[in-house]
Amino acid sequence: MTRQPAATTFRPIGTIRTPWTEVGSCPRNGRQPDPAPVCTVHVLPEYHAGLASLDGFSHLILVYWLHQAPPPKLSFTPPFDTETRGVFATRAPFRPNPIGLSVVAFDGFPEPGVLAVRYLDCLDGTPLLDIKPYLRTTDHQADATLGWLDPHATRNRNTQG
Amino acid sequence: MTRQPAATTFRPIGTIRTPWTEVGSCPRNGRQPDPAPVCTVHVLPEYHAGLASLDGFSHLILVYWLHQAPPPKLSFTPPFDTETRGVFATRAPFRPNPIGLSVVAFDGFPEPGVLAVRYLDCLDGTPLLDIKPYLRTTDHQADATLGWLDPHATRNRNTQG
């Protein structure tokens, strides 16, 4: 456990288009805007073959590079809180590895290689790293407790599917 | 949309220890072993401050580098299937960016900087990239449809919380 693991390089497979062109305009989370705007995910042509069989999944997990995140901060006081929290107990962007993920509703392909999705909260132009099917068999945990965020849960207002 | 986005480098923040030391011995998914073995996540000392306030979350999302994944394959026929599927419609490791993620049950810290978790399916020694709290407000989608995987859903046998 003492050896420092090697670094690794990832290359974006596409670009995410959202209505939010500045960090300050991004919603607090993807379920907050009601109704949630339809965003698009533009996959680079060389990866289109990987999208086969995506039809039929109602929800996906998008993994992306938070490319405009500030430098990492390991602890901070969230704006709606009075205590210092560790960054791994939050979804803040300024993480040691600025990787973001969202569970999104998948509304199909408006054109080949372009996905229509809802419930994103990231900046327009965010580089896409991966697309995974959301599997309720392993990804769904209805009874999960929210830790320090529990008193703040009602701020997530959009409860549509 | 024509410019190729830049690559980015991520550095592991720790290492995941599991009972599975060869790819062939890994379970099909983290909910398959019953009971699910307790695995440990060893966070490097320089990141320990980021773990504050993690107590109280029953479930976490671990993001990791599938460092022993084979080269990317955009489409393939899964072993339990007869049709060719796109890799983004699967959770196979041979993705363009070999990023894995698991929703795990969090059983606390057996020692500082070490997390006890259940429901992992990755190799022993997998480099950890990020820890996020699982938020049922945004990450939980009980009614998600499973697309081509639907007839195979019963292979996920472990239904404990």
Side-chain angles (χ1 to χ4, degrees):
Chain A
M1 302 313 305
T2 50
R3 197 172 55 81
Q4 182 89 9
T8 182
T9 298
F10 294 125
R11 190 169 299 281
I13 60 167
T15 307
I16 298 174
R17 307 306 310 261
T18 74
W20 306 293
T21 55
E22 288 171 45
V23 171
S25 64
C26 290
R28 194 180 296 275
N29 66 62
R31 302 280 173 149
Q32 193 184 25
D34 188 1
V38 174
C39 305
T40 52
V41 178
H42 300 251
V43 176
L44 291 167
E46 57 264 43
Y47 299 113
H48 285 189
L51 300 171
S53 300
L54 214 54
D55 292 306
F57 290 101
S58 62
H59 294 75
L60 305 173
I61 301 175
L62 301 184
V63 182
Y64 39 87
W65 171 26
L66 299 163
H67 66 312
Q68 298 213 11
K73 232 183 317 186
L74 287 180
S75 60
F76 70 106
T77 303
F80 49 86
D81 197 20
T82 54
E83 284 188 52
T84 302
R85 308 295 179 181
V87 72
F88 299 127
T90 78
R91 299 288 274 259
F94 38 80
R95 328 179 68 77
N97 290 307
I99 298 173
L101 69 84
S102 286
V103 175
V104 298
F106 175 42
D107 293 341
F109 294 96
E111 54 187 282
V114 179
L115 291 71
V117 303
R118 284 170 292 134
Y119 304 132
L120 279 171
D121 59 2
C122 62
L123 268 180
D124 186 44
T126 294
L128 177 71
L129 295 176
D130 200 10
I131 301 170
K132 298 180 191 293
Y134 180 90
L135 307 180
R136 64 168 191 269
T137 43
T138 54
D139 302 325
H140 149 236
Q141 198 69 48
D143 57 349
T145 59
L146 284 169
W148 71 272
L149 274 168
D150 194 52
H152 306 283
T154 53
R155 289 180 306 104
N156 301 288
R157 288 192 295 259
N158 187 350
T159 55
Q160 293 173 36
Chain B
M1 301 313 305
T2 52
R3 197 173 54 81
Q4 181 90 12
T8 182
T9 298
F10 294 126
R11 190 170 299 282
I13 60 166
T15 307
I16 298 174
R17 307 306 310 259
T18 74
W20 306 294
T21 55
E22 290 171 42
V23 172
S25 65
C26 289
R28 194 181 296 275
N29 67 61
R31 303 280 174 147
Q32 192 184 26
D34 188 2
V38 175
C39 304
T40 51
V41 178
H42 300 252
V43 176
L44 291 167
E46 58 264 44
Y47 300 113
H48 284 188
L51 299 171
S53 300
L54 215 54
D55 292 306
F57 289 101
S58 62
H59 293 75
L60 305 174
I61 302 176
L62 300 184
V63 181
Y64 38 88
W65 172 27
L66 300 162
H67 65 312
Q68 297 213 12
K73 233 184 315 186
L74 287 180
S75 60
F76 70 108
T77 303
F80 49 86
D81 198 20
T82 54
E83 285 189 51
T84 302
R85 308 295 179 181
V87 73
F88 300 127
T90 79
R91 301 286 276 257
F94 38 80
R95 327 178 69 76
N97 291 307
I99 298 173
L101 69 86
S102 286
V103 175
V104 299
F106 174 43
D107 294 342
F109 295 95
E111 55 186 281
V114 179
L115 290 72
V117 302
R118 284 171 292 132
Y119 304 133
L120 280 171
D121 60 1
C122 62
L123 267 181
D124 186 44
T126 294
L128 177 71
L129 296 177
D130 199 10
I131 300 170
K132 297 180 191 293
Y134 180 91
L135 307 181
R136 65 168 190 271
T137 44
T138 54
D139 301 325
H140 148 238
Q141 197 69 47
D143 57 349
T145 59
L146 284 170
W148 72 272
L149 274 168
D150 193 53
H152 306 284
T154 52
R155 288 180 306 103
N156 301 289
R157 288 192 296 258
N158 187 348
T159 54
Q160 294 172 35

